[in-house]
Amino acid sequence: MPELDYLIVGQGIAGTAMAETLIKRDLKIHVIDDWNFSSSSKVSAGLFNPMVFKRLNRSWMIDELLPVAETFYSEMERKLNARFYYKKELVKIIFEENERDFWLKKALDPVLKPYLSENITTPFLPDEINSPFGVGFVFKSGNVDVKKMLLLYRDYLKSSNRLSDERFDYARLRVGSESVEYKGLRAKKIIFCQGFRASENPWFSWMKFKLSKGEILTIRCKLSLKDQFLVKGVFVVPFGEGTYKVGSTHNWEDLTENTTEKGKAELCEKLTKILKVPYTVIDQQAGVRPTVADRRPILGAHPENVVLTVFNGLGTKGTLLAPWFATHMADFLSTGRGLLKEVDIGRFV
């Protein structure tokens, strides 16, 4: 029977970051994932943004997260011989005078200087964008074409016999005190990276998720954005050849992955307020985010059996969080080094 260090269940952004981090440490891993079994990662626009706009504060741990993410995605591009990581300026559209004044005040804070433009630009693409009080720029932002990266990494895993393309069957997992066995595979530990499906996991269903469904549109229109994306109520992110991703909605009641006319109408209403150019909706998708009640990831081992572990709850900032916390999780698994209290699964026990 093959001997592995880790079995990984799920190949969304969390499972992919976890797998690559462990492979780089020369550890033997095997991933179990059914591509057709839904994942919010495949729908995601993959944005990373260093600011929280409600109070114009830095995003949690941004100074630690950003450099690790930049290194991770740059190395993944070289490994997979493809482009999917894009640095872009975030263009924050300002609709009110007090919002403009607040921006200018916050921009004087030396802590925010690396991230916020000191001035408001007006006009900005006046024939294309409605920005009555101008725009501010957020630096060190961008996005990852997550679906493209996941597909390429999937091919890499298949080519190295590290992937079982199937839905995970809980009934087939044999859990011991020092190892797990699954369909002829034996590993020291198993890492569940299942996104919102972790709420169905018999060992981890007690984790405190606050799942959120999001819908996203793909539109076609003519905008003169250059290495930039728009934010005002919705995001508008270039995806090449005149197409843009627009999102997203938040729904905490309907947790299906079905698209809705209500979601489309909500996004179009917000989009029409900021765009002066015509657009055509060419696609609509929906996914359920693995958002946690306290908005922090979930890492660690099951309180009653350390061979069962979880790496989950990355939520809306998964692209930014995944690389740093995959390293944090790998350190915990290999050395027993303590986890940050904010992300330790023990907070739910």
Side-chain angles (χ1 to χ4, degrees), residues 5 14 26 29 88 121-122 144 147 152-154 179 182 215 227 230 273 283 308 315 319 324-325 341 343:
D5 292 296
D26 295 323
I29 65 106
K88 296 184 174 81
T121 298
T122 184
V144 175
K147 184 176 180 180
L152 290 169
Y153 198 74
R154 190 175 193 83
S179 66
Y182 183 81
E215 297 188 60
D227 296 322
L230 305 174
K273 289 180 180 179
D283 192 25
L308 299 168
T319 309
W324 195 95
F325 281 102
K341 290 182 179 180
V343 304

Side-chain angles (χ1 to χ4, degrees), residues 204 206-207 298-302 310 339 343-349:
F204 291 102
W206 44 269
M207 296 187 299
I298 304 174
L299 282 66
H302 193 281
V310 67
L339 295 163
V343 304
D344 192 329
I345 194 174
R347 70 193 192 272
F348 298 131
V349 176

Side-chain angles (χ1 to χ4, degrees), residues 207-219:
M207 296 187 299
K208 294 183 180 179
F209 283 104
K210 189 179 181 182
L211 302 178
S212 167
K213 173 180 176 174
E215 297 188 60
I216 188 170
L217 304 178
T218 303
I219 66 168

